Amino acid sequence: MKLSVRGEYALRALLVLGLHYDQSVVRIQTISEQQNIPKRFLEQILNDLKSAGVVESRRGVSGGYRLARRPEEITLATVVRHIEGALAPVSCVSERFYEKCTCPDESRCAIRSIMKEVREAIVKIMERTTVATLCERARLLQHEAVSPFDFSI
Amino acid sequence: MKLSVRGEYALRALLVLGLHYDQSVVRIQTISEQQNIPKRFLEQILNDLKSAGVVESRRGVSGGYRLARRPEEITLATVVRHIEGALAPVSCVSERFYEKCTCPDESRCAIRSIMKEVREAIVKIMERTTVATLCERARLLQHEAVSPFDFSI
DNA sequence: AAAAATCTCTATTGACATAGTCGAGATTAA
DNA sequence: TTAATCTCGACTATGTCAATAGAGATTTTT
């Protein structure tokens, strides 16, 4: 039931790009350092996100990456589906990556029916959560961390 | 975000055992045939479930497997955790299989905070769903399939 | 025009996990 | 005693995943 490291890196990178939205582009190097992601690996991932239309890039000396759409428009579901494939725990309940399973009768499979619920629960969260949500939350968490000082004295 | 084939087979096997609860033991062969699971592979899985205290076995001529506890007491969470490990999508939000992640500050990680929600959603379903639930649902689905005839004439 | 910094593309590697197989043994009922 | 079953550990083949690498294309700066 795990997200791959690749998928996690993608989200971390998008968070960084989200925090720099409508500022200048961000270099791979910068993201790599900030997030402890191997640079050459991150290259691949960002390139992949580019082909998904999630980010866009500028080459050359002052090059780098930025979001191709507004942060509110990029859902985690989109990103993870593009990087990993199905969100569903078994592919026989996946909408976009459906595969027939080996059970005797899929239409009356009790496990399938439960797994549909799990899928729904996951998709619901991943579909309503966007890069903008991540950014808000990051700012909030950053603030929370400092707040104890606000209340001192 | 996938369940392994192994995990799926485990659930399918438990469903069969659940449907035979407090009847006689069920042979590996029978389960294997009913559920299209390679027999030697299923052997391993059932043995594994035995060490988890989920099923028990009888050897010899009229041997086979049965549930070691009442179907209502066996949650999907227990089973999947034993076969697969963490239910959480990233191990830094797992309660029983926690592992530190590589992000710069785990305590203020926005992604982690979302993944906690996903984990909660998954755990909630998997913890309330038991082998008994699967059996009920299987019977229901079986019945549904025949019901059109009930309403004819 | 040259140089330097960046992204781009494709290939490759090594480690590990997964699905599945196998053989030989132990136990039990008939 | 025999046949049917579970038991246990080893084995293998395949694939996936994380990561690395090299050579090229593009852009800015000088």
Side-chain angles (χ1 to χ4, degrees):
Chain A
M1 310 280 297
K2 277 263 192 65
L3 192 70
S4 68
V5 172
R6 196 184 182 85
E8 202 192 314
Y9 287 169
L11 297 181
R12 305 230 301 255
L14 287 173
L15 173 54
V16 173
L17 294 182
L19 292 170
H20 285 81
Y21 185 64
D22 69 28
Q23 297 165 39
S24 65
V25 297
V26 185
R27 285 180 304 146
I28 290 182
Q29 176 93 25
T30 308
I31 304 175
S32 156
E33 280 164 10
Q34 243 180 61
Q35 293 287 326
N36 295 315
I37 302 173
K39 193 185 157 197
R40 296 307 296 268
F41 193 24
L42 182 57
E43 266 179 42
Q44 277 184 12
I45 297 168
L46 285 171
N47 218 257
D48 193 3
L49 289 175
K50 189 183 171 186
S51 78
V54 170
V55 301
E56 57 193 17
S57 64
R58 223 172 69 194
R59 284 172 159 194
V61 169
S62 56
Y65 280 92
R66 73 166 120 196
L67 297 183
R69 289 183 268 154
R70 292 191 308 136
E72 306 85 56
E73 290 172 343
I74 306 170
T75 68
L76 298 206
T78 307
V79 176
V80 174
R81 280 196 187 111
H82 190 262
I83 301 273
E84 310 257 286
L87 294 178
V90 292
S91 38
C92 66
V93 301
S94 172
E95 299 255 311
R96 340 201 161 206
F97 299 88
Y98 171 82
E99 280 173 73
K100 199 175 172 328
C101 96
T102 62
C103 78
D105 181 357
E106 205 172 271
S107 67
R108 296 177 212 171
C109 175
I111 291 159
R112 185 162 182 263
S113 127
I114 296 289
M115 289 304 160
K116 269 188 192 162
E117 292 182 22
V118 176
R119 174 188 168 278
E120 277 314 309
I122 295 173
V123 167
K124 190 175 153 196
I125 298 175
M126 303 284 272
E127 216 127 61
R128 74 160 182 242
T129 308
T130 66
V131 171
T133 318
L134 289 183
C135 293
E136 281 165 41
R137 202 165 290 211
R139 291 195 180 103
L140 207 68
L141 285 165
Q142 195 54 35
H143 185 258
E144 252 177 28
V146 206
S147 61
F149 296 103
D150 298 344
F151 300 122
S152 62
I153 295 183
Chain B
M1 310 282 298
K2 277 263 192 66
L3 191 70
S4 68
V5 172
R6 194 184 183 85
E8 201 190 315
Y9 287 168
L11 296 181
R12 305 228 302 253
L14 287 173
L15 173 54
V16 174
L17 294 182
L19 292 170
H20 287 80
Y21 185 64
D22 70 28
Q23 297 165 40
S24 66
V25 297
V26 185
R27 285 180 306 144
I28 290 182
Q29 176 94 25
T30 309
I31 303 175
S32 156
E33 281 165 8
Q34 244 181 60
Q35 292 288 328
N36 296 316
I37 302 173
K39 192 185 158 198
R40 297 306 295 269
F41 193 22
L42 182 57
E43 265 178 42
Q44 275 185 14
I45 296 168
L46 285 171
N47 220 258
D48 194 2
L49 289 175
K50 189 182 170 187
S51 76
V54 170
V55 302
E56 57 192 20
S57 64
R58 220 170 73 192
R59 286 171 156 194
V61 169
S62 57
Y65 279 91
R66 73 166 120 197
L67 298 183
R69 288 182 269 154
R70 291 191 308 135
E72 306 85 55
E73 290 172 342
I74 304 171
T75 68
L76 297 206
T78 306
V79 176
V80 174
R81 281 197 187 110
H82 189 263
I83 300 274
E84 310 258 287
L87 295 177
V90 291
S91 36
C92 67
V93 302
S94 172
E95 299 255 311
R96 342 200 160 206
F97 299 87
Y98 171 82
E99 279 174 74
K100 198 174 172 331
C101 97
T102 62
C103 78
D105 182 357
E106 205 173 88
S107 67
R108 295 177 214 170
C109 176
I111 292 159
R112 185 161 181 263
S113 127
I114 298 290
M115 290 304 160
K116 269 186 193 164
E117 292 181 22
V118 176
R119 174 187 167 278
E120 276 316 308
I122 296 173
V123 167
K124 190 175 153 195
I125 298 174
M126 304 284 271
E127 215 126 63
R128 73 161 183 241
T129 308
T130 66
V131 171
T133 319
L134 290 183
C135 293
E136 281 166 40
R137 203 167 291 211
R139 291 195 181 104
L140 206 70
L141 286 164
Q142 196 53 36
H143 184 257
E144 249 177 29
V146 206
S147 62
F149 296 103
D150 297 344
F151 301 120
S152 64
I153 294 184

